[in-house]
Amino acid sequence: TEYGKTMDLKTATDTDFIGGANRTLVDCRRVLKYTYAYAFTNDDDNHKDLLMVHIERLERFVEELSLESEGAITQEGREKVVNLINIVEKSKEAVEGFIAFGATFTARGGKMM
């Protein structure tokens, strides 16, 4: 079978990355859930447009991580998932940072340009 020929991951430590991928996916989907509400209620169109760029990027990476982690049965697949976890985490931090910056800037009376 194909499964028997391609299975490189044999020990629990070989598959720990799957748990990390699942935790990252759950965390990022939670962030996205609340970010959609924030974007919907944001009155600043410029800030909203830029935020949506960050959100869409995070969505793409989350979907890619989800798909890759489902089929990661080789060492190469493991490496790709681990790299995607890092990319997704950085994208999530960018979304959170953009929201924090916008909220702080607006609270101080600033206007996003």
Coordinates of all heavy atoms in Angstrom, one line a residue, residues 12 14 19 41 56 60 80 85 112:
A12 N 6.4 8.6 18.7 CA 5.6 9.7 19.2 C 6.2 11.0 19.0 O 5.6 12.0 18.7 CB 5.2 9.5 20.7
D14 N 8.2 11.8 16.6 CA 8.1 12.1 15.2 C 6.8 12.7 14.8 O 6.7 13.4 13.9 CB 8.2 10.8 14.4 CG 9.6 10.2 14.3 OD1 10.6 11.0 14.6 OD2 9.7 9.0 14.0
G19 N 0.2 17.7 17.0 CA -0.4 18.4 18.2 C -0.2 19.9 18.1 O -1.1 20.7 18.4
T41 N -17.2 46.0 12.8 CA -17.6 47.1 13.5 C -16.6 48.3 13.4 O -16.9 49.4 13.9 CB -17.7 46.8 15.0 OG1 -16.5 46.3 15.5 CG2 -18.8 45.7 15.2
E56 N -7.0 38.0 5.5 CA -7.0 37.1 4.3 C -5.7 36.3 4.2 O -5.7 35.1 3.9 CB -7.3 37.8 3.0 CG -8.7 38.4 2.9 CD -8.9 39.4 1.8 OE1 -7.9 39.7 1.1 OE2 -10.0 40.0 1.8
R60 N -5.5 32.1 4.5 CA -4.8 31.3 3.5 C -3.8 30.3 4.2 O -3.8 29.2 3.9 CB -4.1 32.1 2.5 CG -4.9 32.5 1.3 CD -4.0 33.1 0.1 NE -2.9 33.9 0.6 CZ -3.0 35.2 0.7 NH1 -4.1 35.9 0.5 NH2 -1.9 35.9 1.0
K80 N 7.4 20.5 6.3 CA 6.5 21.5 5.7 C 5.5 22.0 6.8 O 5.3 23.2 6.9 CB 5.8 20.9 4.5 CG 5.1 22.0 3.7 CD 4.6 21.5 2.4 CE 4.0 22.6 1.6 NZ 3.7 22.2 0.2
I85 N 3.6 26.1 10.6 CA 3.2 26.5 12.0 C 3.9 27.8 12.3 O 3.2 28.8 12.8 CB 3.6 25.4 13.0 CG1 2.7 24.2 12.9 CG2 3.5 26.0 14.4 CD1 3.2 23.0 13.7
M112 N -6.3 56.9 11.2 CA -5.5 56.1 10.3 C -5.5 56.7 8.9 O -6.6 57.1 8.4 CB -6.1 54.7 10.3 CG -6.1 54.0 11.6 SD -4.5 53.6 12.2 CE -3.9 52.3 11.2

